[in-house]
Amino acid sequence: MVKHAQLCEGNLIFLWESCVQDNRARSDDAVTSFDRRQSPVAAELQRGVCRALRALGLSIVTELSLANGRRADVVALSGGGDVLIVEIKSCLLDYQSDGKWRDYLPFCDRLYFAVAADFPHEIIPTSAGLILADRYGAELVREPVEERLSAARRKAMMLCFARAAALRLQHHLDPACGLEL
């Protein structure tokens, strides 16, 4: 099954790379978020985080709705089925005014905070991972405490992830297909 997933991912990457090559020639390096709700700083951090996680071999979905009604900034899935959630904090005020990150813990094996290099990262809880990011990439500074998901929750998260990714791909390929994202 892992071999099949790797082959499918390899074919998708090949198709994606040909699209990316076309886009590189005309890219102005603009950063936009998936739903355009994020601040420009948060969108830049999100892009850097996604690039770094993809370089580590993880699959990524941004702005994923969870079963508790929360939306995770970045959800990453490893080839072995590990689920990671990254909460992006664009500034100190964003961190201080938003405590919903605790609601993400039941939906991931590991929770990370992604912040800019000038963020006072000593205030990030030591149980959470720490990622320093910018618009071009990110560096994993600290691993979080791992709390493994139950089999049922893992299956639910993988289905949620797969459905979101498939629906977004379909919408990308056919914007008039009637999907509301």
Side-chain angles (χ1 to χ4, degrees):
M1 181 127 136
V2 171
K3 184 92 168 157
H4 175 73
Q6 289 170 339
L7 287 173
C8 290
E9 183 178 323
N11 289 336
L12 185 59
I13 289 171
F14 174 75
L15 292 172
W16 183 254
E17 285 174 349
S18 64
C19 293
V20 169
Q21 287 173 354
D22 292 340
N23 288 337
R24 283 187 186 142
R26 58 190 162 106
S27 174
D28 61 357
D29 203 30
V31 179
T32 57
S33 64
F34 169 72
D35 60 5
R36 294 181 176 25
R37 288 192 222 182
Q38 290 179 310
S39 71
V41 173
E44 289 179 356
L45 295 175
Q46 186 178 67
R47 182 174 83 170
V49 166
C50 291
R51 285 179 173 185
L53 294 176
R54 185 64 205 127
L56 293 173
L58 300 167
S59 299
I60 295 109
V61 171
T62 60
E63 303 301 326
L64 184 66
S65 295
L66 304 175
N68 63 0
R70 297 290 190 198
R71 281 172 38 128
D73 293 332
V74 178
V75 178
L77 184 64
S78 75
D82 291 346
V83 179
L84 290 65
I85 291 181
V86 180
E87 174 70 355
I88 295 172
K89 293 298 168 199
S90 59
C91 63
L92 183 57
L93 182 59
D94 180 20
Y95 176 80
Q96 291 172 332
S97 63
D98 182 6
K100 69 179 185 277
W101 62 269
R102 290 175 186 86
D103 296 338
Y104 301 146
L105 292 170
F107 297 92
C108 62
D109 295 308
R110 295 188 296 275
L111 176 73
Y112 296 85
F113 281 94
V115 298
D118 61 350
F119 185 92
H121 54 267
E122 60 277 354
I123 68 169
I124 301 292
T126 56
S127 61
L130 178 62
I131 298 172
L132 297 182
D134 62 20
R135 69 184 297 142
Y136 301 106
E139 181 180 345
L140 180 61
V141 175
R142 181 179 70 220
E143 284 289 344
V145 172
E146 184 176 72
E147 294 287 334
R148 302 295 294 172
L149 294 174
S150 68
R153 180 61 59 92
R154 183 175 312 285
K155 179 181 176 184
M157 281 299 295
M158 291 177 81
L159 288 172
C160 177
F161 187 97
R163 284 188 47 78
L167 289 170
R168 290 176 189 183
L169 177 60
Q170 181 59 38
H171 187 265
H172 174 75
L173 295 174
D174 183 8
C177 67
L179 293 174
E180 293 294 324
L181 298 179

